[in-house]
Amino acid sequence: MTIVTDPPKASFRVSQLIYDTRYRSITFQIAALIGFLILIGWLISNTAQNLADLGKEPSFGFLAEPAGYDINQRLVDYDNQNSHLRAAFVGLLNTLLVAVMGCAAATVLGVTIGVLRLSKNWLISRIMTVYVEMFRNVPVLLWIVLIMAIIIETLPQPRDFRGADPQASMALFDSVAFTNRGFYIPEALFSRSLGDIHLFGASAMRFDVSLDLLALVAVLLAGLWASARIKRNADAVQEATGVRPTVWHFRLGVVFVPLLAVLVLLGFHLGYPALKGFNFQGGTHMRNSLIALWLALSLYTAAFISEIVRAGILAISKGQTEAAAALGLRPKRIMNLVILPQALRIIIPPLISQYLNLTKNSSLAIAVGYMDITGTLMGITMNQTGRELETVMLGMLIYLLISLSISLVMNWYNNRVKLVER
Amino acid sequence: MKKSVFLGALTVAGLAAGAAAAGTLDDVKARGKLNCGVTTGLVGFAAPDANGNWEGFDVGVCRAVAAAVLGDPQAVEFVPTTGKTRFTALASGEVDMLARNTTWTFSRDVDLKFDFVGVNYYDGQGFMVPKALGVSSAKELDGATVCIQTGTTTELNLADFFRKNNISYEPVPIETNAEGQQQYLAGACDTYTTDASGLAATRASFENPSDHVVLPEIISKEPLGPLVRHGDNEWGDVVRWTLNALIAAEELGITSANIAELSEGTNNPEVNRILGTEGNLGEMLGVSADWAKNAIMAGGNYGELFEKTIGENTSIGLARGLNAQWTDGGLLYSPPFR
Ligand SMILES: N[C@@H](CCC(=O)N[C@@H](CS)C(=O)NCC(=O)O)C(=O)O
């Protein structure tokens, strides 16, 4: 008897696509992809068809038309004859403003609270626990509305500052006014200003950058760089001789002397708010809506950040501290050189999502009439032009871009922190 | 993530647009209920009373339409909308009609694809200020902080007015009348501006109405009327002629008091046609023969509805003014029923 040992012929049958585990998953993926594409195609054609039936073909032409409405908080020049696109840009800058302010404040607050919650002081750590639970467990919208209501109902109106015997008066040597329309604070003025540079010509994205500010930032950065050089030199001397030269006054000097010099050269002075007509004029007006939104978003997000920070620090095993102590490091250095660099690696990724959350939550601005991108483009513009689909898609695209940029920057930072690991 | 958001938006848009197709009259009859978009609460025009029953001048229009189509003025589902959400609510089919202080403008009619079926209140935009502010004309408002409802004609008129008069202002955008009232009373804005009728209604709900004045300037024309989606003419006709029936009823002396008697038959052919005892207007419209009778019985004719909800004997105290019949020097003029 002979045994046939020929290898089976490599014939391919269609049924293998389903029954053969080598092909099955690919088959299913392709089928799913086709189904998905058909669904998208159907949705697009259905939407287009329905819009056409309504006589509303999608078009972005409305963006070039005059907006016709005014916006109270403008970081760039704008009036009601500018285009809807310009109005959207004003709104976008307002979104970015509150997002940046919110992320900064939430980080400072969150880190402080997170560290304090680990404090050995029973009272402090309990108070921080209460804070975290209070802010974390109430929807942020309620905090926004509550803070706005408190500002509006409890602070005096500008009218109360008037008269021989006013009911309210300005704070801090008459330099700051806390009113229910917002806070009026002194503004920086330059009597020998360098002027502005105008970016992007006459387009809807045009904006002015103050040369004074640029000069100040440049001098500050140069000072910090010089200060870092001095420190490095001192480190080198210490390494070579074992004696560290005293340099802190040089380091302070290179930062502050040039800065002061530039301020004097530019004729820096403060402009104080003063009651004139219906409102305070001069100074910077931080509107009640901005304050309410900023405070609520920061306080709320800080609660989450503090938990992230606490978790990050707790995740570093006690042995690390002990080992560092055994090497003779002082507690402060242990924190800075051993614990924090490792904790940061754990902290940063969830921190990114908190920043993203804060930015997206800023669209709740609508509740207090803060004119962000949701209030302008997806609010008034949408309502006045009836372009729901276009404005919402554009708005989503913008939030997507903002979020992706934040992720990009934070991921870059995360990678830098990661390199600390050896 | 990116894809799912995109898909979601398309789905919403697709559904929204899909629901907007014609046949509203049949939909309403099949549903047995009229979905009527009203304000979120403006006493006299549309606001729920202590028992949660909606009442007011605009609500009266909704009830009349429900009575005409379904024979029951109570068969209405009131959907509160803000200045901003109202058009999306109508375009998406969430409501069958809007009866909500909405100004008839070119772009809303032509570009936003709605049909205004008529005017139920001729209005104009005014300003309200606290008496203590000592302002007697809107032109003195240079630098003032102004509360406005967003998504309204108010906001555009305001920009135009201040621009024309070369004065400046600080807008405070708000969503609803209630919010505006709160901010205005707390002094977070110096003046509140909206349609003069809305100002009167808002002022009437204040604790001390006499501490506030409405400035003499009326800065715009605001013909307020019910509207429906563009392209569903049968439904548009029903709403239009229901409103006309209320107006014509006042002109012809048909009131809720005498309507039962008049519908026995009169020697005025137009009254007979309206009340369905002669001709077949109801059939042409696709509703029952006594449609107009039901509509008028729902809340009385135009004049009765006006007096009951916002007239001079109510706390709102609006005079008929432009809203009198043409025979009394007003602008109300219903086309003939024939
Ligand atoms: N007529 C203007 C303004 C309409 C409007 O904002 N009306 C106010 C008061 S007159 C209103 O209905 N508010 C009630 C609410 O807040 O829902 C328009 O159509 O744009």
Side-chain angles (χ1 to χ4, degrees), chain A residues 60-348:
Chain A
F60 287 91
F62 68 93
L63 285 174
E65 261 134 55
Y69 59 90
D70 286 295
I71 299 176
N72 47 15
Q73 179 178 300
R74 306 173 291 259
L75 298 180
V76 290
D77 71 288
Y78 169 83
D79 75 37
N80 57 49
Q81 295 305 298
N82 289 155
S83 66
H84 281 293
L85 190 58
R86 180 71 176 167
F89 183 62
V90 173
L92 172 62
L93 291 183
N94 286 345
T95 294
L96 293 179
L97 175 73
V98 77
V100 169
M101 286 170 67
C103 287
T107 309
V108 173
L109 256 177
V111 171
T112 314
I113 293 167
V115 171
L116 286 183
R117 220 185 146 182
L118 291 172
S119 157
K120 303 228 162 52
N121 184 322
W122 185 86
L123 187 65
I124 290 185
S125 72
R126 264 336 101 97
I127 291 178
M128 294 306 141
T129 309
V130 169
Y131 173 93
V132 169
E133 296 307 338
M134 203 168 82
F135 278 94
R136 206 164 58 149
N137 294 313
V138 175
V140 63
L141 179 62
L142 297 189
W143 288 115
I144 297 175
V145 173
L146 178 72
I147 296 179
M148 183 70 166
I150 291 177
I151 296 178
I152 288 182
E153 299 292 346
T154 60
L155 291 177
Q157 54 193 70
R159 209 164 6 123
D160 295 341
F161 290 78
R162 194 173 295 132
D165 180 26
Q167 297 169 33
S169 55
M170 293 173 68
L172 289 178
F173 310 108
D174 273 359
S175 65
V176 183
F178 297 106
T179 77
N180 65 354
R181 293 178 192 174
F183 303 162
Y184 295 81
I185 56 176
E187 63 181 333
L189 294 175
F190 300 95
S191 48
R192 287 180 292 274
S193 172
L194 298 173
D196 297 331
I197 39 175
H198 310 285
L199 294 181
F200 303 120
S203 73
M205 305 314 163
R206 67 182 178 273
F207 72 95
D208 296 348
V209 177
S210 154
L211 280 176
D212 307 319
L213 187 69
L214 279 188
L216 286 173
V217 170
V219 170
L220 182 68
L221 288 181
L224 289 176
W225 178 79
S227 156
R229 280 303 296 256
I230 297 176
K231 175 177 185 281
R232 229 179 307 146
N233 276 340
D235 286 349
V237 171
Q238 183 181 17
E239 214 117 291
T241 66
V243 187
R244 190 177 179 85
T246 333
V247 289
W248 63 267
H249 44 275
F250 292 128
R251 294 186 60 192
L252 275 185
V254 290
V255 176
F256 287 105
V257 172
L259 206 58
L260 281 176
V262 172
L263 284 175
V264 171
L265 270 178
L266 291 176
F268 171 82
H269 60 280
L270 287 176
Y272 296 102
L275 190 58
K276 225 163 77 195
F278 293 99
N279 280 308
F280 282 89
Q281 309 286 336
T284 300
H285 181 189
M286 294 180 70
R287 283 179 182 71
N288 47 13
S289 52
L290 172 67
I291 295 170
L293 188 65
W294 175 43
L295 269 187
L297 287 177
S298 319
L299 293 175
Y300 178 78
T301 312
F304 290 89
I305 292 183
S306 78
E307 285 296 273
I308 293 171
V309 169
R310 187 171 72 109
I313 293 176
L314 285 181
I316 309 302
S317 80
K318 193 110 210 289
Q320 300 259 349
T321 316
E322 288 165 358
L327 285 177
L329 289 180
R330 275 171 282 129
K332 211 184 129 210
R333 306 216 107 201
I334 296 178
M335 194 58 161
N336 284 341
L337 295 176
V338 179
I339 309 289
L340 272 187
Q342 299 186 73
L344 269 186
R345 281 184 299 150
I346 308 172
I347 292 173
I348 304 261

Side-chain angles (χ1 to χ4, degrees), chain A residues 36 39-40 43-44 46-47 49-51 54-56 65 67-74 79-81 148-149 152-153 155-159 162 180-181 184 276-279 281 285 287-288 360 366-371 374-375 378-380 382-389 392-393 396 400 404, chain B residues 1-3 5-7 9-11 13-20 83-88 91 107-108 111-114 130 132-133 135 140-145 148 150-153 155-160 163 169-175 179 182-190 229-230:
Chain A
F36 184 65
L39 188 70
I40 290 192
L43 278 172
I44 292 180
N46 186 46
T47 308
Q49 179 62 44
N50 282 327
L51 286 175
L54 270 179
K56 279 183 164 181
E65 261 134 55
Y69 59 90
D70 286 295
I71 299 176
N72 47 15
Q73 179 178 300
R74 306 173 291 259
D79 75 37
N80 57 49
Q81 295 305 298
M148 183 70 166
I152 288 182
E153 299 292 346
L155 291 177
Q157 54 193 70
R159 209 164 6 123
R162 194 173 295 132
N180 65 354
R181 293 178 192 174
Y184 295 81
K276 225 163 77 195
F278 293 99
N279 280 308
Q281 309 286 336
H285 181 189
R287 283 179 182 71
N288 47 13
K360 286 179 288 171
I366 203 85
V368 284
Y370 179 77
M371 289 313 242
T374 313
M378 285 180 280
I380 304 182
M382 168 166 119
N383 200 261
Q384 302 290 9
T385 61
R387 299 279 167 190
E388 287 98 348
L389 189 70
V392 171
M393 297 253 268
M396 287 189 337
L400 189 69
L404 288 181
Chain B
M1 160 63 201
K2 192 160 75 181
K3 277 188 198 121
V5 171
F6 185 73
L7 270 181
L10 285 176
T11 319
L15 291 178
K84 244 165 85 175
T85 58
R86 56 185 157 174
F87 297 129
T88 318
S107 65
R108 287 173 179 177
D111 192 31
L112 267 62
K113 306 289 177 201
F114 297 119
L133 209 57
V135 170
E140 294 166 23
L141 288 174
D142 192 8
T145 301
I148 31 160
T150 59
T152 59
T153 49
E155 148 181 86
L156 305 180
N157 297 331
L158 183 71
D160 287 354
R163 190 179 181 81
Y169 71 105
E170 152 110 10
V172 174
I174 45 159
E175 288 281 289
E179 231 177 282
Q182 182 209 358
Q183 297 229 14
Y184 170 76
L185 285 178
C189 40
D190 295 303
R229 282 180 294 276
H230 181 91

Side-chain angles (χ1 to χ4, degrees), chain A residues 18-35:
Chain A
I18 291 184
Y19 295 115
D20 190 328
T21 43
R22 280 175 300 170
Y23 303 119
R24 189 192 282 154
S25 73
I26 298 179
T27 316
F28 283 159
Q29 286 184 41
I30 290 179
L33 184 68
I34 292 176

